[in-house]
């Protein structure tokens, strides 16, 4: 009894379960198929190509081609939201796209989501949860494989969407989003443009799921202000094709 | 006539109060500039920790009012998320660079809610459409003309904001820990 208790304790406290890169992509695809089951892709193919192309460019600037299958899309949802899934799959809602006024702002939003993927924020949440589930399976069947768990994770994926990530993951991604989008040639003001726009939107639609799963926009603005360096101040200028986004509205 | 003017003044003051002012705290002592540019003329000095009224924003600059003085400071020198914040009417700060005051009409619009996500079923066909979206060679070529810059990495410092949201998240964590403890005890009991 004591030996078994110790075995449980040891197994629960060491990282016993890490997904392979291919499994992370499969997890990501599963998550995307769920989100798209809730709200389909927007019918505007040109819009999809535009967002996907900008995302691909930003991923290239981030020097993050491997091991991800970068793919970006727009869901036909009038609300404000964005989802990043392991493996490099990113969705934003039409409502969020319509909120944005410049390509610089879109670049910031996509860069924020790219950071969630690169830093494996969602995978870390999943792995932490699977640690206990893995222990239970280990004890019951003395066998655990990725194939055993993946088909049973839909409720876990939905949980992720409803609870959101740790607040620091969001703040960190704001900073990384600012950094990547500016490196890619976009305005350092765009991050503030987006967050102040969220602040204004929140006053009208306080019940939006997006605002329940993210830190308050005012907090995000303050954290960004706290970290931004003087290096960014002369980089306020908007990109040459800043207003191109209006062609897709 | 004097009595009427006084009454009119009182009504005017009360209506301004009813509108509410956007307030923020100035984190560091800052020069007050007469324009949203670094080389604008200095028209005053605002002490550290002053509560200021924020009238509008242009890019990284905010137009503020402090003790009757009007001018510009950097947005990054202001703190907006204060528990003493009495006004939430900050929507006019989303004016961006143009300052045109273009509000976004999102009143009454709601997106996917928790129930819809909970009930969602995977869609293989939508997934395949998503994965098959191409990129545009013309757009990619156009992106490559952006003025790219090299920057020093920003070092992130973990935050510990004390807000109602963080308190509710702490409760969720505690609930999760309780569930895990119960599972662990169940395993121990089984063996």
């Amino acid at each position: 009894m004591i030996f078994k208790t110790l075995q449980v304790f040891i197994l629960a406290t060491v990282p016993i379960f890490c997904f392979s890169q291919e499994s992370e992509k499969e997890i990501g695809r599963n998550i995307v198929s769920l989100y798209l089951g809730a709200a389909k892709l927007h019918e505007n193919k040109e819009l999809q190509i535009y967002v996907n192309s900008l995302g691909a460019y930003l991923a290239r600037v981030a020097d993050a081609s491997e091991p991800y299958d970068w793919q970006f899309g727009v869901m036909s949802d009038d609300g404000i939201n964005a989802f990043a899934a392991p493996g490099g799959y990113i969705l934003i809602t039409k409502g969020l796209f319509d909120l944005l006024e410049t390509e610089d702002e879109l670049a910031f939003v996509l860069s924020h989501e790219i950071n969630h993927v690169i830093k494996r924020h969602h995978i870390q949440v999943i792995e932490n949860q699977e640690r206990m589930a893995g222990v239970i399976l280990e004890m019951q069947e003395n066998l655990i494989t990725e194939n055993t768990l993946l088909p049973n994770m839909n409720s876990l994926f939905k949980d992720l969407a409803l609870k959101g990530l740790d607040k620091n993951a969001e703040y960190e991604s704001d900073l990384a989003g600012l950094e990547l989008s500016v490196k890619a040639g976009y305005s350092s003001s765009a991050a503030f443009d987006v967050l102040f726009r969220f602040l204004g939107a929140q006053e009208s639609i306080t019940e939006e799921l997006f605002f329940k799963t993210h830190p308050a926009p005012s907090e995000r603005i303050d954290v960004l202000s706290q970290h931004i360096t003087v290096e960014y101040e002369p980089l306020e200028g908007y990109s040459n094709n800043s207003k191109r986004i209006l062609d897709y509205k | 006539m004097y009595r009427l003017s006084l009454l009119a003044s009182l009504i005017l003051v009360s209506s301004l109060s009813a509108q509410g002012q956007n307030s923020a705290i100035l984190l560091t002592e800052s020069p007050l500039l007469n324009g949203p540019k670094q080389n604008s003329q200095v028209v005053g000095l605002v002490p550290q920790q002053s509560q200021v009224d924020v009238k509008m924003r242009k890019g990284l600059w905010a137009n503020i009012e402090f003790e009757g003085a009007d001018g510009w400071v950097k947005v990054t020198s202001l703190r907006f998320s204060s528990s003493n914040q009495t006004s939430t009417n900050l929507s006019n700060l989303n004016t961006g660079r143009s300052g045109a005051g273009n509000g976004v009409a999102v009143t009454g619009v709601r997106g996917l809610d928790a129930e819809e996500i909970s009930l969602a079923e995977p869609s293989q066909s939508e997934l395949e459409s998503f994965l098959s979206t191409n990129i545009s060679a013309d757009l990619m070529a156009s992106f490559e003309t952006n003025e790219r810059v090299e920057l020093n990495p920003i070092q992130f410092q973990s935050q510990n904001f004390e807000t109602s949201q963080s308190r509710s998240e702490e409760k969720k964590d505690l609930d999760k820990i309780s569930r895990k403890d119960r599972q662990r005890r169940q395993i121990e009991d089984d063996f």
Side-chain angles (χ1 to χ4, degrees):
Chain A
M1 174 60 188
I2 295 175
F3 175 74
K4 286 291 185 184
T5 303
L6 280 176
Q7 190 177 24
V8 168
F9 179 78
I10 290 168
L11 286 171
T13 54
V14 298
I16 62 164
F17 200 77
C18 292
F19 295 103
S20 65
Q21 287 174 359
E22 278 312 305
S23 287
E24 286 195 18
K25 292 179 188 177
E26 187 175 343
I27 287 170
R29 289 191 289 269
N30 284 347
I31 289 173
V32 167
S33 73
L34 270 177
Y35 290 156
L36 294 178
K40 297 162 68 164
L41 282 176
H42 194 273
E43 61 188 3
N44 186 337
K45 299 275 189 235
E46 295 303 315
L47 170 61
Q48 300 292 349
I49 291 172
Y50 172 57
V51 172
N52 194 36
S53 301
L54 179 56
Y57 165 66
L58 292 166
R60 188 183 300 176
V61 174
D63 196 21
S65 298
E66 294 291 333
Y68 308 102
D69 288 342
W70 294 107
Q71 197 74 25
F72 301 77
V74 182
M75 300 162 71
S76 59
D77 177 20
D78 290 333
I80 299 169
N81 220 328
F83 304 101
Y89 310 110
I90 289 167
L91 289 165
I92 66 172
T93 60
K94 185 60 163 54
L96 173 53
F97 181 82
D98 286 342
L99 199 67
L100 306 175
E101 295 183 1
T102 64
E103 186 168 287
D104 306 69
E105 293 175 18
L106 178 59
F108 166 70
V109 168
L110 298 182
S111 298
H112 171 111
E113 299 303 324
I114 286 172
N115 189 68
H116 280 317
V117 173
I118 293 174
K119 293 294 172 61
R120 302 174 75 246
H121 287 151
H122 296 86
I123 283 291
Q124 286 169 3
V125 171
I126 293 170
E127 284 180 345
N128 284 336
Q129 294 192 22
E130 284 307 307
R131 188 169 299 161
M132 278 311 293
V135 169
I136 293 170
L137 282 176
E138 172 81 16
M139 302 309 289
Q140 289 177 346
E141 297 181 309
N142 204 32
L143 177 66
I144 182 170
T145 68
E146 294 167 1
N147 291 335
T148 305
L149 286 177
L150 285 177
N152 300 310
M153 293 171 72
N154 281 356
S155 61
L156 195 154
F157 299 155
K158 291 177 181 179
D159 227 32
L160 260 181
L162 297 177
K163 289 182 181 172
L165 294 169
D166 173 77
K167 288 173 77 170
N168 278 311
E170 297 296 343
Y171 296 140
E172 186 193 0
S173 293
D174 280 340
L175 296 177
L178 167 71
E179 188 178 319
L180 175 56
S181 58
V182 173
K183 282 174 75 172
Y186 293 102
S187 166
S188 59
S189 167
F192 290 94
D193 295 342
V194 173
L195 294 178
F196 275 106
R197 193 92 32 73
F198 286 163
L199 191 62
Q202 187 183 26
E203 292 170 13
S204 303
I205 42 175
T206 55
E207 292 305 305
E208 191 84 15
L209 185 64
F210 177 76
F211 296 118
K212 292 182 177 179
T213 56
H214 288 74
S218 57
E219 291 178 5
R220 296 174 71 175
I221 289 165
D222 288 348
V223 172
L224 207 59
S225 293
Q226 176 188 337
H227 286 82
I228 194 170
T229 63
V230 295
E231 221 179 353
Y232 287 79
E233 289 175 10
L235 301 173
E236 278 188 78
Y238 287 78
S239 60
N240 291 335
N241 294 299
S242 173
K243 291 298 183 183
R244 175 166 44 197
I245 194 172
L246 300 178
D247 296 342
Y248 300 92
K249 297 257 181 185
Chain B
M1 186 60 123
Y2 173 78
R3 233 180 269 165
L4 195 61
S5 296
L6 180 60
L7 181 60
S9 299
L10 285 172
I11 292 172
L12 181 61
V13 168
S14 63
S15 69
L16 283 174
S17 300
Q19 282 178 7
Q21 291 290 321
N22 310 315
S23 66
I25 304 292
L26 190 69
L27 292 176
T28 56
E29 182 183 76
S30 298
L32 197 61
L33 306 180
N34 70 354
K37 285 182 184 176
Q38 190 62 47
N39 57 0
S40 297
Q41 184 182 357
V42 177
V43 296
L45 191 65
V46 185
Q48 180 183 15
Q49 295 300 317
S50 297
Q51 180 159 334
V52 302
D53 295 326
V54 185
K55 295 161 66 176
M56 68 174 295
R57 181 184 66 89
K58 273 191 182 180
L60 297 180
W61 294 90
N63 180 208
I64 68 167
E65 195 173 299
F66 176 70
E67 293 184 349
D70 185 292
W72 296 80
V73 297
K74 291 179 190 171
V75 165
T76 52
S77 64
L78 296 168
R79 188 181 73 194
F80 292 90
S81 63
S82 164
S83 57
N84 296 323
Q85 181 74 274
T86 55
S87 167
T88 58
N89 184 23
L90 296 171
S91 59
N92 67 329
L93 299 182
N94 65 356
T95 52
R97 188 181 174 90
S98 67
N102 294 320
V104 179
V106 290
T107 304
V109 173
R110 293 194 56 214
L112 286 175
D113 60 21
E115 186 178 2
E116 286 167 311
I117 290 180
S118 299
L119 296 175
E121 292 295 324
S123 172
Q124 187 62 29
S125 59
E126 288 296 309
L127 174 64
E128 287 169 7
S129 293
F130 169 71
L131 294 174
S132 65
T133 301
N134 293 321
I135 62 175
S136 158
D138 288 343
L139 281 171
M140 296 304 284
S142 138
F143 296 139
E144 292 298 337
T145 66
N146 286 356
E147 285 186 43
R148 292 173 58 169
V149 295
E150 287 300 318
L151 295 162
N152 293 312
I154 300 176
Q155 298 301 321
F156 173 64
Q157 297 172 353
S158 292
Q159 303 294 305
N160 183 24
F161 273 85
E162 278 300 318
T163 64
S164 61
Q165 184 173 3
S166 67
R167 285 195 287 277
S168 121
E169 284 184 0
E170 282 173 14
K171 183 179 182 312
K172 284 182 199 170
D173 287 343
L174 289 172
D175 289 343
K176 199 186 303 182
I177 291 170
S178 297
R179 281 198 301 275
K180 287 186 176 179
D181 281 343
R182 286 197 295 275
Q183 287 174 347
R184 187 193 299 274
R185 285 195 291 274
Q186 182 63 45
I187 294 168
E188 291 173 4
D189 290 345
D190 287 345
F191 291 92

